[in-house]
């Protein structure tokens, strides 16, 4: 059974910035660099879960345009569904502890699955590129006529 990510309004630019600030601080400085942020920003769990969906789903999902899906395609799709389902359950059951776990899952996914745009093996640069892309989308969606402000 396919795992569907419902269409939804993109995160606001402020939410994107907050989520990626957390990811980049954790990736660079570890847990001490982000201590207390989950408590200070209760929506951080939601933001990181949405970022996880935006990062994981496009890479793992079988798209309708795939000319030749194979067994590996379906396995990857299911792995993405299982990972997102587990992250959603964690966020629902323990929002405060989920923040760090979801963030570490995103970082690990980016390190091991997302190609580095500069081919330098720099996860920080990849996360910054992803942040910039999502900030541009957030600005476009939230400043367009009929968009959310």
């Amino acid at each position: 059974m396919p795992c569907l990510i419902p269409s939804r309004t993109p995160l606001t630019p402020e939410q994107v910035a907050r989520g990626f600030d957390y990811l980049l601080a954790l990736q660079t400085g570890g847990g001490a660099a982000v201590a207390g942020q989950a408590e200070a920003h209760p929506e951080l769990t939601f933001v990181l879960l949405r970022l996880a969906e935006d990062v994981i789903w496009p890479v793992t999902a079988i798209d309708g345009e795939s000319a030749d899906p194979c067994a590996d395609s379906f396995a990857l799709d299911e792995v993405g569904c299982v990972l997102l389902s587990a992250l959603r359950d964690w966020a629902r059951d323990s929002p405060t502890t989920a923040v760090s776990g979801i963030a570490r899952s995103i970082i690990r996914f980016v390190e091991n699955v997302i190609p580095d745009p500069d081919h330098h093996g720099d996860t920080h640069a990849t996360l910054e590129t992803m942040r910039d892309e999502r900030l541009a989308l957030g600005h476009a969606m939230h400043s367009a006529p009929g968009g959310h402000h």
Side-chain angles (χ1 to χ4, degrees):
M1 175 161 88
C3 171
L4 300 175
I5 303 295
S7 61
R8 61 225 191 293
T9 303
L11 295 170
T12 66
E14 295 77 19
Q15 290 171 319
V16 170
R18 185 174 300 123
F20 275 99
D21 285 351
Y22 185 92
L23 288 172
L24 291 163
L26 180 65
Q27 193 265 335
T28 303
V34 294
Q37 285 192 34
E39 295 79 14
H41 302 285
E43 86 167 339
L44 197 52
T45 304
F46 164 78
V47 168
L48 289 172
L49 186 57
R50 288 284 300 277
L51 289 178
E53 292 171 348
D54 290 348
V55 169
I56 295 166
W57 184 247
V59 175
T60 62
I62 297 174
D63 67 20
E65 299 173 14
S66 181
D68 192 23
C70 61
D72 289 345
S73 304
F74 291 102
L76 183 59
D77 183 79
E78 192 57 32
V79 167
C81 291
V82 168
L83 176 56
L84 289 173
S85 179
L87 294 177
R88 286 183 193 122
D89 288 348
W90 195 355
R92 181 191 66 236
D93 296 341
S94 184
T96 302
T97 63
V99 168
S100 175
I102 293 169
R104 290 180 193 283
S105 295
I106 293 169
I107 292 167
R108 188 165 185 188
F109 188 85
V110 169
E111 285 174 348
N112 293 297
V113 179
I114 304 287
D116 174 7
D118 299 326
H119 307 292
H120 298 313
D122 184 0
T123 303
H124 194 85
T126 304
L127 287 168
E128 287 177 331
T129 299
M130 295 171 88
R131 177 198 59 206
D132 295 345
E133 290 168 354
R134 278 155 188 79
L135 277 172
L137 177 63
H139 283 296
M141 291 302 294
H142 291 279
S143 63
H148 296 78
H149 297 278

